[in-house]
Amino acid sequence: MQILLTGGAGFIGSHTAIELMAAGHSVVIVDNFVNSSPEAHRRIEEISGQKVPLVEADVADRDAMEALFSEYQFDCVVHFAGLKAVGESVQQPLRYYRNNLDTTLTLCETMQRHGCKCIVFSSSATVYGVPDEVPLREDMFCKGCTNPYGWTKYMIEKILMGVCDADPEWSVVLLRYFNPIGAHESGRIGENPSGIPNNLMPYITRVAAGTLEKLHVFGNDYQTHDGTGVRDYIHVVDLAKGHVKACQYAEGRQGCDIVNLGTGVGYSVLDLVKTFEKVNGIQIPYEISPRRAGDVDACFADPKKAAEVLGWRAEKNLEDMCRDAWNYQKNNPKGY
Ligand code: UD1
């Protein structure tokens, strides 16, 4: 298949590009580098040993997208492009809604004009909101999100469902990611958050590198086995392989499917810290701090549907995630 990756230079997009090519597909990347680097594209080519066409453009740029779809005949689009910082979305809601919705609308309109009706979307477990029970299943009611970033994912899901309802030729797969961490085993591509990281694993790797003094564990009075928050951490390479399966599934069928990409196993903040220390032989100093607003006790997937529908399940464990995340950070102390 010829597959377009919007935001293909980002953390999940870059890993997916490599796995798609390894499975024999051709990829084209469109990225405006607002939160990524052209160096990621260079390294994708280095790891894959293949040339990857790159278009530097904003997916909301109608003319640029028209030109792109005129040049290539895409069988499927994987739509990663979007702003993704939860805290920032609370400060800048209009920017988040404008960017994430505009890019999606322009993309889908362009796809429609060119008869490309197959899309895999980067959604998030955040759309489940505060869960009443875990594990989370795709058919559970989404009560609402806790921040504008989450709402953009929720709204884009609804937009794509509507597109499918209106035109049964469309094929849509909404992938709800749990907590992607880790990096490619080469140590050449990984996660590069700008500034002080908000998410747990990038924060831990900065503490391990000595750039940050200690980890603040946000709360130890949650209803979990050790009181710290439990999440479903998934290796980004497993996640990337899930996209390969999703593209293959989406092609040649019609309708809309929602699929969780998680391991089904929840680990606490302290489980992650201890595993990181053990596999990498580095102490992570931490202190217990107050809870972070909006955090829930436990969030993990029921991964059955992904196994049944996509024939996919996560293969890597928490040790792999900790080892690969540190391997990337150690080899790239300043990012790309
Ligand atoms: C968050 C977002 C989610 C997004 C995901 C990946 C919310 C409600 N969810 O998930 O939408 O898709 O990031 O970007 O914002 N923790 C610490 N100390 C830290 C950082 C985190 O103790 O310095 C704890 C948190 O309290 C939580 C766990 O680590 O229990 C994971 O946090 P994080 O990596 O930020 O991911 P989520 O909040 O689960």
Side-chain angles (χ1 to χ4, degrees):
M1 273 193 271
Q2 172 82 270
I3 300 171
L4 175 66
L5 306 184
T6 74
F11 175 45
I12 301 169
S14 56
H15 289 82
T16 301
I18 286 166
E19 296 307 322
L20 282 169
M21 285 187 280
H25 302 291
S26 304
V27 305
V28 174
I29 289 175
V30 56
D31 204 304
N32 64 357
F33 302 119
V34 72
N35 190 29
S36 60
S37 158
E39 179 61 16
H41 169 255
R42 212 188 59 68
R43 295 190 186 189
I44 292 167
E45 291 190 331
E46 172 195 304
I47 295 168
S48 66
Q50 294 183 41
K51 281 276 162 215
V52 177
L54 166 71
V55 175
E56 182 173 351
D58 189 324
V59 179
D61 179 340
R62 187 169 288 273
D63 294 341
M65 295 305 284
E66 184 57 34
L68 179 57
F69 276 77
S70 300
E71 187 175 353
Y72 298 92
Q73 278 243 298
F74 296 114
D75 300 301
C76 186
V77 176
V78 188
H79 182 33
F80 297 104
L83 300 174
K84 61 169 189 178
V86 173
E88 190 180 66
S89 80
V90 176
Q91 306 302 321
Q92 304 172 19
L94 296 177
R95 180 170 166 241
Y96 269 68
Y97 287 116
R98 168 67 71 191
N99 181 83
N100 290 3
L101 298 181
D102 254 5
T103 47
T104 305
L105 294 171
T106 301
L107 174 65
C108 290
E109 286 165 355
T110 313
M111 290 174 69
Q112 182 113 293
R113 273 200 304 281
H114 289 264
C116 171
K117 298 183 177 180
C118 179
I119 185 167
V120 173
F121 175 60
S122 254
S123 190
S124 167
T126 195
V127 300
Y128 290 111
V130 179
D132 286 329
E133 53 172 316
V134 278
L136 290 155
R137 282 190 327 273
E138 293 85 347
D139 60 2
M140 283 175 168
F141 179 65
C142 295
K143 288 185 301 179
C145 304
T146 52
N147 56 74
Y149 154 77
W151 279 115
T152 68
K153 295 291 181 193
Y154 182 95
M155 289 175 189
I156 294 168
E157 286 198 357
K158 297 291 178 212
I159 290 168
L160 293 173
M161 288 175 195
V163 166
C164 256
D165 285 345
D167 179 351
E169 286 182 0
W170 274 78
S171 173
V172 172
V173 180
L174 306 172
L175 296 177
R176 291 183 178 161
Y177 309 155
F178 282 70
N179 290 58
I181 59 171
H184 193 261
E185 63 177 13
S186 64
R188 297 292 289 154
I189 55 169
E191 192 172 11
N192 285 303
S194 47
I196 297 176
N198 297 304
N199 296 119
L200 180 60
M201 183 56 100
Y203 203 103
I204 290 178
T205 58
R206 300 281 192 296
V207 173
T211 326
L212 293 168
E213 188 197 338
K214 63 182 168 210
L215 172 70
H216 300 273
V217 175
F218 298 146
N220 67 347
D221 56 353
Y222 285 104
Q223 296 297 310
T224 62
H225 63 273
D226 62 14
T228 65
V230 163
R231 298 289 182 276
D232 186 337
Y233 297 98
I234 172 168
H235 197 294
V236 65
V237 172
D238 275 335
L239 193 75
K241 289 178 176 164
H243 289 74
V244 177
K245 297 284 192 182
C247 290
Q248 288 162 351
Y249 172 71
E251 196 207 24
R253 67 176 278 287
Q254 295 173 347
C256 181
D257 255 300
I258 303 174
V259 185
N260 285 338
L261 292 184
T263 65
V265 183
Y267 289 103
S268 72
V269 175
L270 293 182
D271 291 334
L272 195 64
V273 169
K274 283 177 199 141
T275 307
F276 189 96
E277 291 183 331
K278 187 181 83 187
V279 300
N280 296 316
I282 300 171
Q283 287 296 112
I284 303 296
Y286 69 84
E287 71 176 23
I288 305 298
S289 300
R291 288 183 175 202
R292 182 174 66 178
D295 278 352
V296 299
D297 300 62
C299 175
F300 53 94
D302 181 333
K304 268 196 221 79
K305 188 172 175 189
E308 284 165 14
V309 172
L310 304 182
W312 170 93
R313 66 182 77 240
E315 288 166 357
K316 293 178 183 279
N317 61 26
L318 199 63
E319 299 195 354
D320 300 322
M321 301 181 213
C322 290
R323 187 183 315 106
D324 292 338
W326 175 235
N327 185 39
Y328 174 74
Q329 169 71 35
K330 194 171 58 181
N331 290 320
N332 305 272
K334 294 198 165 70
Y336 289 131

